[in-house]
Amino acid sequence: MSTLIIDNKTLSLSQQGERIKITSDEMGTKTIPFTHIKRVVISSNVNIESRLLRTLASKDISVTFINPRNPQEYGLLQGSGHNDAARKIRQLKASQDFPICELISRYLVIEKIKGQHQILQQAAPLKPQCQYTIIKTLPVLENALQKLDACNSLSLNSIRGLEGSSAAAYFNAYKCLFPESLNFTHRNRRPPKDPVNALLSLSYTLADSIACQSLQTVGLDLMIGFYHQLSWSRHSLSSDVIEPVRPHIDEWVRLLIARQNIRLHHFEQKDESCLLKKQGRQIYYALWEQEMKTSVKKITGNCIQHIEQAIGNDNG
């Protein structure tokens, strides 16, 4: 086990020695050693012993609290992580150095658009009804990549403009890959209004929590980004490093629907919100652990290495 997922409101969590104790009137008691856990995801209203939270933080086991009714409304409990303040100072100085910000941003956006291009290129033969839209979209992405590759002095505004126009074209084609019954017409959130957006929002949130833990481990400040600039209460740096992850999540969400792992009856509509029901979440979380967690960690790890190289080593 690496991630402990709690999605049952009848549970109580406490500490028993060097183990997490999980108690339920329905299922009895179970204990899990802390050494088997790297992160905890809680997506239901459970009772948690405060001593357990202190211990998890002291052991650098992150705890992510997700609102299943709105996956983008979540909290994150982190340990102290890397304690070298000099690295954070160097990060702050680098975030105010425009050439460094542009270098990191170009890398992140290029990797993201490459991923988007690959998804559409591979999907075209599988979806004849989408071929016309995809054929129109691929040159838009290719043109953006050429501009990003050809010029080493693009401003952040220019990079954001290319990323934004590529994203708009990409999602216009991406939506064609899903059945019309899912009512996926565009990317929306806060709250997601259809099954595809519900899956995307939840997946992006889980990816962000993995990125936050990885960044904390190497001593980088979550709030100080390079592509995403400073913004109140935003983890700008984790937002940076999950940009190249997003296309991989998009493709995985498409496969969840195409393979019928997740179906329409796994969702419910409440007002404007589309919610993944408990049965659907059980399937989703199991597949996330099997199929996505490792690749998300690998991609975010590559991004973090690139950022560290751009900032400079500890002796620089």
Side-chain angles (χ1 to χ4, degrees):
M1 177 183 293
S2 175
T3 304
L4 173 61
I5 296 172
I6 304 295
D7 191 24
N8 186 332
K9 63 183 180 181
T10 69
L11 300 181
S12 294
L13 306 181
S14 59
Q15 181 176 346
Q16 188 178 77
E18 288 298 302
R19 305 171 77 94
I20 290 182
K21 181 181 177 182
I22 305 171
T23 307
S24 168
D25 293 337
E26 300 173 358
M27 297 177 290
T29 299
K30 179 180 181 180
T31 64
I32 303 171
F34 290 123
T35 54
H36 290 186
I37 302 168
K38 292 185 177 179
R39 64 187 60 84
V40 179
V41 175
I42 299 176
S43 64
S44 56
N45 190 22
V46 299
N47 292 317
I48 309 176
E49 184 182 64
S50 59
R51 182 168 72 110
L52 172 62
L53 293 177
R54 289 198 305 270
T55 300
L56 292 171
S58 70
K59 293 180 179 295
D60 285 327
I61 299 173
S62 69
V63 184
T64 304
F65 301 90
I66 296 177
N67 179 358
R69 297 181 178 277
N70 184 1
Q72 291 182 311
E73 180 184 315
Y74 80 105
L76 184 66
L77 173 68
Q78 294 272 83
S80 59
H82 194 297
N83 292 314
D84 183 6
R87 169 164 284 209
K88 291 182 172 62
I89 293 172
R90 189 163 53 255
Q91 177 189 353
L92 176 60
K93 290 179 179 178
S95 74
Q96 298 168 336
D97 187 318
F98 288 111
I100 292 178
C101 290
E102 290 160 8
L103 176 67
I104 293 172
S105 298
R106 284 179 65 251
Y107 168 80
L108 297 172
V109 173
I110 286 173
E111 291 301 306
K112 179 180 182 179
I113 297 176
K114 281 181 178 177
Q116 293 171 333
H117 187 278
Q118 183 177 19
I119 288 172
L120 297 181
Q121 192 173 48
Q122 292 177 347
L126 304 175
K127 299 283 183 179
Q129 71 275 21
C130 303
Q131 285 185 357
Y132 177 71
T133 303
I134 291 175
I135 288 170
K136 288 198 307 180
T137 303
L138 290 176
V140 176
L141 304 184
E142 290 161 2
N143 181 58
L145 286 172
Q146 287 174 1
K147 289 181 178 178
L148 288 163
D149 277 328
C151 184
N152 292 326
S153 59
L154 282 174
S155 68
L156 278 176
N157 284 338
S158 297
I159 295 171
R160 292 189 183 111
L162 289 169
E163 189 271 333
S165 59
S166 297
Y170 163 74
F171 270 105
N172 187 54
Y174 178 69
K175 70 183 182 184
C176 300
L177 306 181
F178 295 89
E180 291 184 5
S181 59
L182 296 178
N183 296 317
F184 176 50
T185 58
H186 63 285
R187 176 74 179 118
N188 57 64
R189 52 184 184 157
R190 301 182 191 276
K193 297 178 175 59
D194 58 80
V196 177
N197 275 297
L199 291 171
L200 290 174
S201 290
L202 178 55
S203 302
Y204 293 159
T205 296
L206 290 176
D208 186 77
S209 70
I210 291 173
C212 286
Q213 186 177 28
S214 299
L215 289 163
Q216 186 96 343
T217 299
V218 300
L220 294 174
D221 193 304
L222 304 180
M223 312 300 286
I224 303 173
F226 299 92
Y227 181 58
H228 295 85
Q229 297 291 287
L230 294 177
S231 181
W232 175 259
S233 192
R234 180 175 70 187
H235 293 158
S236 294
L237 190 58
S238 65
S239 297
D240 281 358
V241 302
I242 68 166
E243 286 294 346
V245 176
R246 291 179 185 273
H248 297 269
I249 287 175
D250 299 345
E251 173 63 3
W252 183 65
V253 166
R254 185 190 72 79
L255 290 174
L256 287 180
I257 301 297
R259 298 183 309 211
Q260 298 189 352
N261 299 127
I262 302 290
R263 305 186 184 190
L264 194 56
H265 70 265
H266 289 130
F267 298 88
E268 61 179 333
Q269 201 76 31
K270 287 196 175 181
D271 299 325
E272 293 187 352
S273 302
C274 182
L275 309 175
L276 185 60
K277 294 190 290 188
K278 184 174 180 179
Q279 182 188 13
R281 293 199 301 272
Q282 290 174 338
I283 296 169
Y284 170 91
Y285 284 128
L287 291 172
W288 173 270
E289 286 293 296
Q290 294 170 18
E291 300 175 353
M292 279 302 294
K293 181 186 68 179
T294 300
S295 60
V296 170
K297 289 178 67 176
K298 180 179 179 180
I299 297 166
T300 55
N302 290 340
C303 293
I304 291 170
Q305 286 182 359
H306 188 88
I307 289 170
E308 289 181 311
Q309 289 171 1
I311 292 174
N313 60 40
D314 290 338
N315 298 320

